[in-house]
Amino acid sequence: MTSTDLRPARPFGAVGTAVVTPLTEDGHGVDLDAAQQVAVHVSEHGNDLIVVSGTTGEAPTLTDVEKIELSRAVRDAVGPEVRVVAGVGTYDTAHSIDLARAHADLGLDGLLVVTPYYSKPSQAGVIAHTTAIADSTDLPVMLYDIPSRTGTALSYETLLRLGEHDRILAVKDAKGDLQQASRIMAETGLAYYSGEDALNLPWLTIGAAGLVSVVGQVAGELERLMLDAVDRSDLAGALDAHRRLVPLVDAIMAKMPGAVAAKAALALQGVLPHAAMRGPHVPADTDQLRALADAIDAADGIPSCDPTRASV
C-alpha cells in the first residue's frame, strides 16, 4: 500500500532552537547551571532540537573549553529524545577539526558546520574544508549556509557535492534561496532546516524538515503548532500560528541582534537571572526591553514577562 505520509525525513528533529549562552553577570564566565535551565525550558516548550555554540550562542566569543563544557552540560540536562547539535565551524579548517574531535565523545547528535567566514574561500575550498570536518568524526553534520554573515554562499554545485557525503545530512539555511533549495531537496538526500524565522512557514511548505530558530526560545510551542499544522495539510492553522509569531519575529530579529534579543527575552520571562552579553554585543537598552516585553505580552499562548523585569 502506498504511504500517504508526506512528512520529510528529519535527521535532526523538527523544531529546533539555537540557544543563547548564559554568562556570569560580569560576562567573563559561562553559567552552566543557567545553560541547563535554558535547555530544559526550550525542551519543555515545543523543541526537540537544541543547537549550542551557534551565532545566537555568541560562539565567536567562547573559548574551546567553554564550548565543550557547554555541550556536555546541555547534553546532560535534557533527555535522549531531545537532539543536541554543537557548532564547531570556524574560518580555520584545522581548528574546526580539533573542535569536532573534542565534541565527538559527548553523546551529541551532530555538528553544525558554518561556511568559513571572513576569508571568503573558493567553492573548492569550502568543499575541502567541510569534507575534512565531516571526515574527522562519526557524528552527522548539518551545514550552515548564511552568506550575510560569512560572505560566501554554498553554490548549487557545492551542495550537490557535499550532499554525497554519508555524514552530511542537512542544511540550516539562512540564505533564503527557496528555488535552489527545492532543487537540492529533489536531487539529493539533504534535509533543509529554516535558519531565518521570518521564512519558517515558506520553508515548511516547500518540504523543509524543520527549523532552527532564535524565536523558539520564546515561542517554541507556537512554532510546533505551525509545523504540526503543515504536517496535517492544515494551511489555515499554519497561517494562524505564523501570523501570531510575526510580532515576536519582528521584535526579536529586526530591532536588535538576535542574540541580544533572545537573551533579553529569556531574562524578561524569568528563565535567566540577567541578560549579560560578551563584547562586542551589549545588552538591550530600556526602550528595546520595553518593546520586547510588549511583543511577548501581546503574543497569545506565550509565557508572559514580568513587567518589573523591564530593566534587566
Side-chain angles (χ1 to χ4, degrees):
M1 186 169 93
T2 302
S3 173
T4 58
D5 188 350
L6 301 180
R7 291 176 297 180
R10 288 173 169 150
F12 295 102
V15 179
T17 289
V19 293
V20 301
T21 300
L23 302 171
T24 55
E25 198 159 6
D26 60 9
H28 293 163
V30 172
D31 186 337
L32 295 177
D33 290 339
Q36 291 185 317
Q37 291 169 11
V38 170
V40 171
H41 169 77
V42 299
S43 69
E44 290 177 346
H45 290 84
N47 290 271
D48 59 357
L49 166 64
I50 293 172
V51 176
V52 297
S53 299
T55 310
T56 305
E58 300 175 80
T61 73
L62 300 177
T63 69
D64 290 359
V65 170
E66 287 174 332
K67 290 176 181 177
I68 294 163
E69 290 178 344
L70 183 63
S71 292
R72 182 183 290 112
V74 169
R75 175 71 280 171
D76 289 346
V78 297
E81 67 279 1
V82 179
R83 292 171 173 84
V84 179
V85 170
V88 298
T90 73
Y91 50 47
D92 176 356
T93 304
H95 184 199
S96 301
I97 289 171
D98 287 344
L99 268 176
R101 289 174 173 164
H103 283 78
D105 297 324
L106 301 181
L108 304 181
D109 299 286
L111 303 173
L112 180 70
V113 178
V114 69
T115 309
Y117 44 89
Y118 190 77
S119 52
K120 298 181 73 172
S122 66
Q123 293 296 307
V126 171
I127 291 169
H129 169 89
T130 309
T131 301
I133 299 169
D135 284 343
S136 68
T137 80
D138 292 329
L139 288 172
V141 169
M142 176 187 286
L143 308 175
Y144 189 9
D145 193 2
I146 182 167
S148 63
R149 290 181 183 267
T150 65
T152 304
L154 296 177
S155 73
Y156 168 76
E157 292 78 14
T158 293
L159 286 162
L160 287 180
R161 285 278 304 279
L162 293 175
E164 296 172 354
H165 196 288
D166 289 344
R167 282 186 294 281
I168 298 176
L169 304 185
V171 182
K172 177 187 175 186
D173 187 283
K175 181 170 62 184
D177 187 342
L178 275 66
Q179 174 66 11
Q180 182 193 83
S182 295
R183 294 179 67 192
I184 294 297
M185 284 187 278
E187 297 170 26
T188 75
L190 286 172
Y192 266 73
Y193 287 78
S194 171
E196 185 173 348
D197 276 296
L199 294 180
N200 284 346
L201 181 57
W203 273 113
L204 292 172
T205 61
I206 67 163
L211 48 99
V212 178
S213 173
V214 177
V215 176
Q217 289 169 98
V218 180
E221 288 167 331
L222 260 182
E223 292 183 338
R224 172 66 65 174
L225 284 174
M226 181 174 61
L227 181 137
D228 288 346
V230 172
D231 278 356
R232 62 178 183 268
S233 300
D234 176 8
L235 179 58
L239 278 171
D240 177 67
H242 167 74
R243 288 168 178 165
R244 289 162 62 190
L245 283 161
V246 166
L248 280 171
V249 172
D250 186 60
I252 291 173
M253 302 307 299
K255 306 300 185 185
M256 64 193 99
V260 173
K263 195 173 282 186
L266 288 167
L268 285 169
Q269 290 179 305
V271 179
L272 287 178
H274 54 76
M277 304 298 298
R278 188 173 279 182
H281 283 313
V282 294
D285 62 31
T286 301
D287 289 340
Q288 290 172 325
L289 285 169
R290 288 198 184 107
L292 186 55
D294 289 343
I296 294 171
D297 285 340
D300 182 26
I302 300 300
S304 63
C305 67
D306 179 351
T308 65
R309 297 179 63 83
S311 60
V312 294

